[in-house]
Amino acid sequence: MSSIKERLAALGLTLPKAAAPVANYVPFVRTGNLVVISGQVCFGADGAIAAEHKGKVGGAVSAEAGKAAARLCALNVLAQLEAAVGDLDRAVVQCVRLGGFINAAPGFSAVAGVMNGASDLMVELLGDRGRHARSTVGVAELPLDAAVEVEAMFEVR
């Protein structure tokens, strides 16, 4: 079985640097064998949110761009997890839960498909350890006008 880093490389991806919080909270909390990751927005490799990932999905942001934004959020979640535990291959037992928040235009209800960008990447990278419970909601606004935000919970060693 290949490592998570090898799977990332095969997809042409790398984990970004774990982003600093943008308000009064910590990026993750580890308690016992759980790590809870605070909501991560769709920062790209340059640490910024691309124009195509700002605004409302179903409005200025297409559903396809929203799905790509959710994928970036998942990468940022994994960057925080790596900061919390070090070696992801050794530490990750299971992705327990993802929570997705989609900055949705009025009337846009296809939020589950957008969130699949994050869910699909977890399974691509972690295999069965990436299968998770999930909630996805459309919201009126997100920090920094991000199109998507994803939070997570992992069981770790």
Side-chain angles (χ1 to χ4, degrees):
M1 180 166 121
S2 64
S3 74
I4 293 167
K5 297 280 182 163
E6 289 170 339
R7 289 181 193 155
L8 280 163
L11 294 169
L13 302 171
T14 58
L15 287 185
K17 182 178 189 254
V22 297
N24 186 18
Y25 62 91
V26 295
F28 59 83
V29 170
R30 183 170 182 169
T31 180
N33 66 340
L34 293 178
V35 176
V36 179
I37 309 290
S38 294
Q40 301 296 303
V41 296
C42 43
F43 291 129
D46 62 356
I49 300 174
E52 64 268 21
H53 299 146
K54 280 191 170 192
K56 301 210 174 292
V57 181
V61 178
S62 70
E64 183 177 290
K67 189 172 181 178
R71 191 172 175 92
L72 286 173
C73 293
L75 283 174
N76 286 298
V77 162
L78 290 171
Q80 293 294 350
L81 183 60
E82 184 177 61
V85 301
D87 182 354
L88 294 176
D89 288 306
R90 182 193 61 75
V92 174
V93 174
Q94 184 71 43
C95 179
V96 176
R97 179 184 182 280
L98 294 181
F101 305 93
I102 313 304
N103 186 357
F108 181 78
S109 62
V111 295
V114 171
M115 184 58 184
N116 282 343
S119 293
D120 292 348
L121 186 64
M122 284 298 164
V123 175
E124 285 179 83
L125 295 176
L126 302 176
D128 283 340
R129 297 181 298 159
R131 299 195 185 283
H132 52 272
R134 183 177 99 176
S135 297
T136 304
V137 296
V139 298
E141 301 292 336
L142 284 173
L144 307 174
D145 202 25
V148 181
E149 181 174 354
V150 175
E151 64 183 15
M153 180 185 302
F154 291 86
E155 180 184 1
V156 297
R157 290 185 209 354

